[in-house]
Amino acid sequence: MTALVGLVAGALWAMLPAYVPNNAAVLAGGGAPIDGGRTWDGRRVLGDGKTWRGTAVGTLVGVALAFALNAVAGAAGAAVGVDLPGFPPLAALGLALGAMLGDIGASFLKRRSGRERGASFPGLDQLDFVVGALGLALVLSPAWTLETFTLERLAVVLVATPLLHVVTNVIAYLIGAKNEPW
Ligand code: CTP
Ligand code: K
Ligand code: MG
């Protein structure tokens, strides 16, 4: 295992509880919108694409994934010769809920800038949840976050996440789970 592969594996592993919530929300979405249909300056505060159910299911799935990863981190890490981080409960919650809040914050900004539900906002779409996840993890579990997300791993996350985001969303679009390929 080269150092680069180990670095990438550790960075993506540490981000998995933040990557999965948005995809789970797409599958679980529907029901009451968080903004209750309210508008601000003639536009929806968040829009129908941000629901209580999607947010709750996405967060729960992310936290559950973190706990599942905890159970296999030792064996998986030993198998590939990499030290894979575990997730304390508050770190798991920070990554999963933070990812959902980052996405919700982006919808707020999209509506303020006149973009309708489903419109793309290149850059924001691919990194909103990273900022939310790392930000809330830093608030809820500061020592773990600083120790886990070294500058090297952060660099990997910032480069790899937009690529992974584009690929997963195109797949979600092609299988009919998502209305737009972004
Ligand atoms: N979803 C949800 N709750 C969330 C996030 C997503 O229910 N907090 C579901 C919705 O059904 C949403 C779908 O996942 O339509 C796709 O998510 P996303 O692309 O983030 O939402 P959009 O509908 O494109 O809306 P927006 O323009 O506000 O991003
Ligand atoms: K989004
Ligand atoms: Mg969308």
Side-chain angles (χ1 to χ4, degrees):
M1 178 76 49
T2 67
L4 180 64
V5 174
L7 171 64
V8 172
L12 297 185
W13 174 280
M15 281 300 286
L16 274 175
Y19 286 154
V20 169
N22 289 287
N23 299 304
V26 171
L27 299 177
I34 294 171
D35 68 9
R38 280 183 283 274
T39 58
W40 185 19
D41 266 352
R43 298 186 184 280
R44 286 288 293 274
V45 177
L46 299 174
D48 284 333
K50 305 297 120 153
T51 69
W52 290 111
R53 193 168 80 205
T55 307
V57 171
T59 302
L60 286 175
V61 168
V63 170
L65 175 68
F67 292 160
L69 292 177
N70 282 344
V72 300
V80 292
V82 178
D83 194 19
L84 297 173
F87 304 91
L90 282 177
L93 181 65
L95 290 174
L97 179 59
M100 300 281 16
L101 293 179
D103 173 62
I104 289 169
S107 290
F108 178 80
L109 294 178
K110 286 192 203 176
R111 300 301 93 83
R112 304 288 72 71
S113 60
R115 292 171 170 80
E116 299 293 340
R117 174 190 180 182
S120 72
F121 195 147
L124 190 67
D125 279 328
Q126 288 75 34
L127 288 170
D128 52 14
F129 64 102
V130 174
V131 174
L134 295 180
L136 193 60
L138 192 60
V139 170
L140 295 183
S141 193
W144 178 87
T145 304
L146 292 173
E147 188 186 309
T148 303
F149 288 96
T150 58
L151 287 180
E152 276 183 320
R153 279 188 177 157
L154 265 185
V156 170
V157 167
L158 291 180
V159 172
T161 303
L163 297 173
L164 286 171
H165 188 270
V166 168
V167 170
T168 50
N169 282 296
V170 167
I171 292 172
Y173 173 72
L174 291 177
I175 64 174
K178 227 172 171 293
N179 294 328
E180 307 87 17
W182 49 74

Coordinates of all heavy atoms in Angstrom, one line a residue, residues 129-181:
F129 N -22.1 20.4 1.5 CA -22.2 19.4 2.6 C -20.9 19.2 3.2 O -20.8 18.8 4.4 CB -22.9 18.1 2.1 CG -22.1 17.4 1.0 CD1 -21.4 16.3 1.4 CD2 -22.1 17.8 -0.3 CE1 -20.7 15.6 0.4 CE2 -21.4 17.1 -1.2 CZ -20.7 16.0 -0.9
V130 N -19.8 19.4 2.5 CA -18.4 19.2 3.1 C -18.2 20.3 4.2 O -17.8 20.0 5.3 CB -17.3 19.3 2.0 CG1 -16.0 19.3 2.7 CG2 -17.5 18.1 1.0
V131 N -18.6 21.5 3.8 CA -18.4 22.6 4.7 C -19.3 22.4 5.9 O -18.9 22.6 7.1 CB -18.8 24.0 4.0 CG1 -18.8 25.1 5.0 CG2 -17.8 24.3 2.9
G132 N -20.6 22.0 5.7 CA -21.5 21.8 6.8 C -21.0 20.6 7.7 O -21.0 20.8 8.9
A133 N -20.5 19.5 7.1 CA -20.1 18.4 7.9 C -18.9 18.7 8.7 O -18.9 18.4 9.9 CB -19.9 17.2 6.9
L134 N -17.9 19.2 8.1 CA -16.6 19.5 8.8 C -16.9 20.6 9.9 O -16.3 20.6 11.0 CB -15.5 19.9 7.9 CG -15.1 18.8 6.9 CD1 -13.9 19.2 6.0 CD2 -14.7 17.5 7.7
G135 N -17.7 21.6 9.5 CA -18.0 22.7 10.5 C -18.7 22.2 11.7 O -18.3 22.5 12.8
L136 N -19.8 21.3 11.5 CA -20.5 20.8 12.7 C -19.7 19.8 13.5 O -19.7 19.8 14.7 CB -21.9 20.3 12.3 CG -22.8 20.0 13.5 CD1 -23.1 21.3 14.2 CD2 -24.1 19.4 13.0
A137 N -18.9 19.0 12.8 CA -18.0 18.1 13.5 C -17.0 18.9 14.3 O -16.7 18.5 15.5 CB -17.3 17.2 12.5
L138 N -16.5 20.0 13.8 CA -15.5 20.8 14.6 C -16.2 21.4 15.8 O -15.6 21.5 16.9 CB -15.0 21.9 13.6 CG -13.8 22.7 14.1 CD1 -12.6 21.8 14.3 CD2 -13.5 23.8 13.1
V139 N -17.5 21.7 15.7 CA -18.2 22.3 16.9 C -18.5 21.2 17.9 O -18.2 21.4 19.1 CB -19.5 23.0 16.4 CG1 -20.4 23.3 17.6 CG2 -19.2 24.2 15.6
L140 N -19.0 20.0 17.4 CA -19.4 19.0 18.4 C -18.3 18.1 18.9 O -18.3 17.6 20.0 CB -20.5 18.1 17.7 CG -21.8 18.8 17.3 CD1 -22.8 17.8 16.7 CD2 -22.4 19.5 18.5
S141 N -17.2 18.0 18.1 CA -16.1 17.1 18.5 C -14.8 17.7 18.0 O -14.1 17.1 17.1 CB -16.4 15.7 17.8 OG -15.5 14.7 18.4
P142 N -14.4 18.8 18.5 CA -13.2 19.6 18.0 C -11.9 18.8 18.0 O -11.2 18.8 17.0 CB -13.2 20.8 18.9 CG -14.1 20.6 20.0 CD -15.0 19.5 19.7
A143 N -11.6 18.1 19.1 CA -10.3 17.4 19.1 C -10.3 16.3 18.1 O -9.3 16.2 17.3 CB -10.1 16.8 20.5
W144 N -11.3 15.5 18.0 CA -11.4 14.5 17.0 C -11.2 15.0 15.6 O -10.5 14.5 14.7 CB -12.7 13.7 17.1 CG -12.8 12.6 16.1 CD1 -12.3 11.3 16.2 CD2 -13.4 12.7 14.8 NE1 -12.6 10.6 15.0 CE2 -13.3 11.4 14.2 CE3 -14.0 13.7 14.1 CZ2 -13.7 11.2 12.9 CZ3 -14.5 13.4 12.8 CH2 -14.4 12.2 12.2
T145 N -12.0 16.1 15.3 CA -12.0 16.7 13.9 C -10.6 17.2 13.5 O -10.1 16.9 12.4 CB -13.0 17.8 13.8 OG1 -14.3 17.3 14.2 CG2 -13.1 18.3 12.4
L146 N -9.9 17.9 14.4 CA -8.6 18.4 14.1 C -7.6 17.3 13.9 O -6.7 17.4 13.1 CB -8.2 19.4 15.2 CG -9.0 20.7 15.3 CD1 -8.5 21.5 16.5 CD2 -8.8 21.5 14.0
E147 N -7.7 16.3 14.7 CA -6.8 15.1 14.7 C -7.0 14.3 13.4 O -6.1 13.8 12.8 CB -7.0 14.3 15.9 CG -6.1 13.2 16.2 CD -6.6 12.3 17.4 OE1 -6.9 13.0 18.4 OE2 -6.7 11.1 17.2
T148 N -8.3 14.1 13.0 CA -8.6 13.3 11.9 C -8.4 14.0 10.6 O -7.9 13.4 9.6 CB -10.1 12.8 12.0 OG1 -10.3 12.2 13.3 CG2 -10.5 11.9 10.9
F149 N -8.9 15.2 10.5 CA -8.8 15.9 9.2 C -7.5 16.7 9.1 O -7.5 18.0 9.3 CB -10.0 16.7 8.9 CG -11.2 15.8 8.6 CD1 -12.1 15.5 9.6 CD2 -11.4 15.3 7.3 CE1 -13.2 14.6 9.3 CE2 -12.4 14.4 7.0 CZ -13.3 14.1 8.0
T150 N -6.4 16.0 8.9 CA -5.1 16.7 8.7 C -5.2 17.5 7.5 O -6.1 17.3 6.6 CB -4.0 15.7 8.6 OG1 -4.4 14.8 7.5 CG2 -3.9 14.8 9.9
L151 N -4.3 18.4 7.3 CA -4.3 19.3 6.0 C -4.2 18.4 4.8 O -4.8 18.6 3.8 CB -3.1 20.3 6.1 CG -3.3 21.4 7.1 CD1 -2.1 22.4 7.0 CD2 -4.6 22.2 6.7
E152 N -3.4 17.3 4.9 CA -3.2 16.4 3.8 C -4.6 15.8 3.4 O -5.0 15.7 2.3 CB -2.3 15.3 4.1 CG -0.8 15.6 3.9 CD 0.0 14.3 4.2 OE1 -0.3 13.6 5.2 OE2 1.0 14.1 3.5
R153 N -5.3 15.3 4.4 CA -6.6 14.6 4.2 C -7.6 15.7 3.7 O -8.4 15.4 2.8 CB -7.1 14.0 5.5 CG -6.5 12.6 5.7 CD -7.2 11.9 6.9 NE -6.7 10.6 7.1 CZ -6.8 9.9 8.3 NH1 -7.4 10.5 9.3 NH2 -6.3 8.7 8.4
L154 N -7.6 16.9 4.2 CA -8.5 17.9 3.8 C -8.3 18.2 2.3 O -9.2 18.4 1.5 CB -8.2 19.2 4.6 CG -9.0 19.5 5.8 CD1 -8.7 20.9 6.3 CD2 -10.5 19.4 5.4
A155 N -7.0 18.2 1.9 CA -6.7 18.5 0.5 C -7.3 17.4 -0.4 O -8.0 17.6 -1.4 CB -5.2 18.5 0.2
V156 N -7.2 16.1 0.1 CA -7.8 15.0 -0.7 C -9.3 15.2 -0.7 O -9.9 15.0 -1.8 CB -7.5 13.6 0.0 CG1 -8.3 12.5 -0.6 CG2 -6.0 13.4 -0.1
V157 N -9.9 15.5 0.4 CA -11.4 15.7 0.4 C -11.9 16.7 -0.5 O -12.8 16.6 -1.3 CB -11.8 16.0 1.9 CG1 -13.3 16.5 1.9 CG2 -11.6 14.8 2.8
L158 N -11.1 17.9 -0.6 CA -11.6 19.0 -1.4 C -11.4 18.6 -2.9 O -12.2 19.1 -3.7 CB -10.8 20.2 -1.1 CG -11.1 20.8 0.3 CD1 -10.3 22.1 0.5 CD2 -12.6 21.2 0.4
V159 N -10.5 17.8 -3.3 CA -10.3 17.4 -4.7 C -11.3 16.2 -5.0 O -11.9 16.2 -6.1 CB -8.9 17.0 -4.9 CG1 -8.7 16.4 -6.3 CG2 -7.9 18.2 -4.8
A160 N -11.4 15.2 -4.1 CA -12.1 14.0 -4.5 C -13.6 14.2 -4.4 O -14.4 13.6 -5.1 CB -11.7 12.9 -3.6
T161 N -14.1 15.0 -3.4 CA -15.5 15.1 -3.2 C -16.3 15.6 -4.4 O -17.3 15.0 -4.7 CB -15.8 16.0 -1.9 OG1 -15.1 15.5 -0.8 CG2 -17.3 16.1 -1.7
P162 N -15.9 16.7 -5.1 CA -16.6 17.1 -6.2 C -16.7 16.0 -7.3 O -17.8 15.8 -7.9 CB -15.9 18.3 -6.7 CG -15.2 18.9 -5.5 CD -14.8 17.6 -4.7
L163 N -15.6 15.2 -7.5 CA -15.6 14.1 -8.5 C -16.6 13.1 -8.1 O -17.5 12.6 -8.9 CB -14.2 13.5 -8.6 CG -13.1 14.5 -9.1 CD1 -11.8 13.8 -9.0 CD2 -13.5 14.9 -10.5
L164 N -16.6 12.7 -6.8 CA -17.5 11.6 -6.3 C -19.0 12.1 -6.4 O -19.9 11.4 -6.7 CB -17.2 11.3 -4.8 CG -15.9 10.4 -4.6 CD1 -15.6 10.4 -3.1 CD2 -16.2 9.0 -5.2
H165 N -19.2 13.4 -6.1 CA -20.5 14.0 -6.1 C -21.1 13.9 -7.5 O -22.2 13.5 -7.7 CB -20.4 15.4 -5.6 CG -21.8 16.0 -5.3 ND1 -22.4 16.8 -6.3 CD2 -22.6 16.1 -4.3 CE1 -23.6 17.2 -5.8 NE2 -23.7 16.8 -4.6
V166 N -20.3 14.3 -8.5 CA -20.8 14.3 -9.8 C -21.1 12.9 -10.3 O -22.2 12.6 -10.8 CB -19.7 14.9 -10.8 CG1 -20.0 14.7 -12.2 CG2 -19.6 16.4 -10.5
V167 N -20.2 11.9 -10.0 CA -20.4 10.6 -10.4 C -21.7 10.0 -9.7 O -22.6 9.4 -10.4 CB -19.2 9.7 -10.1 CG1 -19.5 8.2 -10.3 CG2 -18.0 10.1 -10.9
T168 N -21.8 10.1 -8.4 CA -23.0 9.5 -7.7 C -24.3 10.2 -8.2 O -25.3 9.5 -8.3 CB -22.9 9.7 -6.2 OG1 -22.7 11.0 -5.8 CG2 -21.9 8.8 -5.6
N169 N -24.3 11.5 -8.5 CA -25.5 12.1 -8.9 C -25.9 11.8 -10.3 O -27.1 11.7 -10.6 CB -25.4 13.6 -8.7 CG -25.6 14.0 -7.2 OD1 -26.7 13.8 -6.7 ND2 -24.6 14.5 -6.6
V170 N -24.9 11.6 -11.2 CA -25.3 11.1 -12.5 C -25.9 9.7 -12.5 O -26.9 9.4 -13.1 CB -24.0 11.2 -13.4 CG1 -24.3 10.4 -14.7 CG2 -23.6 12.6 -13.7
I171 N -25.3 8.9 -11.6 CA -25.8 7.5 -11.5 C -27.3 7.6 -10.9 O -28.2 6.9 -11.4 CB -25.0 6.7 -10.5 CG1 -23.6 6.4 -11.2 CG2 -25.7 5.3 -10.1 CD1 -22.6 5.7 -10.3
A172 N -27.5 8.4 -9.9 CA -28.8 8.6 -9.3 C -29.8 9.1 -10.3 O -31.0 8.6 -10.3 CB -28.8 9.5 -8.1
Y173 N -29.4 9.9 -11.2 CA -30.2 10.5 -12.3 C -30.6 9.4 -13.3 O -31.7 9.2 -13.7 CB -29.5 11.6 -12.9 CG -30.2 12.2 -14.2 CD1 -31.4 12.9 -14.0 CD2 -29.7 12.0 -15.4 CE1 -32.0 13.4 -15.2 CE2 -30.3 12.5 -16.6 CZ -31.5 13.2 -16.4 OH -32.1 13.7 -17.5
L174 N -29.5 8.6 -13.6 CA -29.7 7.6 -14.7 C -30.7 6.5 -14.2 O -31.4 5.9 -14.9 CB -28.4 7.0 -15.1 CG -27.5 7.9 -15.9 CD1 -26.1 7.3 -16.2 CD2 -28.2 8.4 -17.2
I175 N -30.6 6.1 -12.9 CA -31.5 5.1 -12.4 C -32.8 5.6 -11.9 O -33.7 4.9 -11.4 CB -30.9 4.3 -11.2 CG1 -30.7 5.2 -9.9 CG2 -29.6 3.6 -11.6 CD1 -30.2 4.4 -8.7
G176 N -33.0 7.0 -12.1 CA -34.4 7.5 -11.9 C -34.6 8.0 -10.4 O -35.7 8.3 -10.1
A177 N -33.5 7.9 -9.6 CA -33.7 8.3 -8.2 C -33.7 9.8 -8.0 O -34.2 10.4 -7.0 CB -32.7 7.7 -7.3
K178 N -33.1 10.5 -9.0 CA -33.0 12.0 -8.9 C -33.5 12.6 -10.1 O -33.4 12.1 -11.2 CB -31.5 12.3 -8.7 CG -31.2 13.3 -7.6 CD -29.7 13.5 -7.3 CE -29.5 14.6 -6.3 NZ -29.8 15.9 -6.9
N179 N -34.1 13.9 -10.0 CA -34.7 14.5 -11.1 C -33.6 15.2 -12.0 O -33.9 15.5 -13.2 CB -35.7 15.6 -10.7 CG -36.9 14.9 -10.0 OD1 -37.3 13.8 -10.4 ND2 -37.5 15.6 -9.0
E180 N -32.5 15.6 -11.4 CA -31.5 16.3 -12.2 C -30.1 15.6 -11.9 O -29.9 15.1 -10.8 CB -31.3 17.8 -11.8 CG -32.6 18.6 -11.9 CD -33.4 18.5 -10.6 OE1 -32.8 18.1 -9.5 OE2 -34.6 18.8 -10.6
P181 N -29.2 15.6 -12.9 CA -27.9 14.9 -12.7 C -26.9 15.7 -11.9 O -25.7 15.6 -12.2 CB -27.5 14.7 -14.2 CG -28.1 15.8 -15.0 CD -29.4 16.1 -14.3

